[in-house]
Amino acid sequence: MKLPVSTEWVLHCATSLAQLDPGATASTTQLAQYYDLPAPYLAKQLQALVRAGLLAATTGPRGGFRLARSASEITLLQIVEAVAGTSSPYECREIRQQGRGALPAEECRRTCVLAEKMAEAHQAWRSSLAGVTLADILATLPPSAPPRTRQRLTGTT
């Protein structure tokens, strides 16, 4: 499975925003500079998180992005799906019924075992990401990380 590169961007940006003081925001420019990313493209990805209800955006000179709800209520799966979508990366096209090796239709009444296994793997991946929140990620960071992030991202401690 290959995810868009922007998936890494939004995972890191959401984690950084989760380290800010309650109510504090970071702008697209601040986040883009913090990670050396292209601001216009990052802005589009962050807007996807806003549409998904994961981030809130404010406008104006002190505007920016912040988490729309607590870090314990935002899962990695929600973030990934906001930018990469929800569809399975595997699509069975029933090639077992094509070509010289085609199986008779009566042998294909059950779902293809390969499609079943791929669906199981996709569900396991989704379940794994659904079981991890931003709060879980923050809990694994060294104590020095949040203050350093706040200082370097927004200039506050």
Side-chain angles (χ1 to χ4, degrees):
M1 169 185 306
K2 184 167 173 119
L3 296 169
V5 67
S6 58
T7 306
E8 178 186 12
W9 300 0
V10 295
L11 286 166
H12 280 281
C13 287
T15 301
S16 295
L17 292 171
Q19 295 174 66
L20 299 181
D21 292 323
T25 63
S27 69
T28 300
T29 301
Q30 288 171 310
L31 289 163
Q33 289 174 348
Y34 190 74
Y35 288 111
D36 193 24
L37 300 171
Y41 189 60
L42 177 60
K44 288 173 134 178
Q45 304 311 309
L46 294 173
Q47 284 301 322
L49 297 185
V50 171
R51 285 190 299 278
L54 304 174
L55 297 183
T58 55
T59 58
R62 300 185 137 267
F65 296 93
R66 63 178 170 72
L67 297 184
R69 48 188 191 243
S70 77
S72 64
E73 297 174 2
I74 299 174
T75 68
L76 298 186
L77 180 64
Q78 292 168 325
I79 296 168
V80 169
E81 287 186 341
V83 294
T86 60
S87 61
S88 173
Y90 182 80
E91 182 180 342
C92 181
R93 299 182 190 271
E94 282 295 333
I95 67 167
R96 64 186 176 158
Q97 296 182 56
Q98 300 172 22
R100 290 182 10 188
L103 295 173
E106 61 271 6
E107 290 184 30
C108 298
R109 288 190 183 118
R110 274 194 70 229
T111 302
C112 173
V113 66
L114 296 173
E116 285 177 1
K117 294 302 175 188
M118 294 303 286
E120 289 171 11
H122 182 63
Q123 188 53 48
W125 177 82
R126 288 174 46 82
S127 295
S128 176
L129 292 178
V132 180
T133 66
L134 286 178
D136 297 329
I137 298 300
L138 295 182
T140 67
L141 298 178
S144 61
R148 183 183 67 234
T149 298
R150 288 190 292 274
Q151 174 60 40
R152 291 183 180 172
L153 184 59
T154 64
T156 62
T157 54

